[in-house]
Amino acid sequence: QVQLVESGGGLVQAGGSLRLSCAASGRTFRNMGWFRQAPGKEREFVAAISWTGGFTNYADSVKGRFTISRDNAKNTVSLQMNSLKPEDTAVYYCAAGYLSATTLDPISDWGQGTQVTVHS
């Protein structure tokens, strides 16, 4: 099992940037990634990175704006979010999975979530 703790959420103006971090503890040799859930919507995939860091995958809605990275020495995964839009407003969840490096399916562990609010 992996324990995941997110940080870095907040309020930002459209066009701005935020960096989310996820600290992992436990059995951390997993593919990692981020999902988000906006009010009244289902949770959706945002980005994933393989446990070696050599493969990344992004949802079409964030390609070119978001960058996922990991530091296995520090057991952290980050999501750099640039050119933020109001539609990026959601609770962002860190996730881990040990099969698919593309979608993390099936998810083995979730963080508690961090709120990102983008105002116009």
Side-chain angles (χ1 to χ4, degrees):
Q1 190 174 7
V2 178
Q3 292 76 46
L4 306 172
V5 179
E6 302 98 334
S7 61
L11 178 66
V12 64
Q13 194 169 8
S17 299
L18 277 176
R19 186 177 181 87
L20 304 183
S21 292
C22 175
S25 59
R27 300 176 65 85
T28 57
F29 296 107
R30 306 285 175 95
N31 302 315
M32 302 286 291
W34 294 88
F35 287 69
R36 66 187 182 186
Q37 187 167 19
K41 295 187 177 181
E42 293 188 354
R43 192 172 298 189
E44 64 175 5
F45 170 79
V46 175
I49 187 167
S50 63
W51 80 271
T52 64
F55 174 81
T56 58
N57 186 44
Y58 297 92
D60 288 343
S61 59
V62 306
K63 277 182 183 176
R65 299 188 299 122
F66 291 10
T67 302
I68 190 170
S69 60
R70 68 188 298 163
D71 184 339
N72 285 343
K74 297 181 179 179
N75 289 336
T76 58
V77 176
S78 297
L79 185 68
Q80 178 66 43
M81 306 186 294
N82 299 329
S83 302
L84 283 161
K85 305 174 182 179
E87 50 264 44
D88 293 318
T89 295
V91 177
Y92 283 70
Y93 296 90
C94 182
Y98 49 83
L99 289 180
S100 171
T102 302
T103 63
L104 303 183
D105 187 50
I107 303 296
S108 59
D109 302 276
W110 291 98
Q112 82 287 353
T114 185
Q115 177 70 46
V116 172
T117 302
V118 184
H119 64 89
S120 56

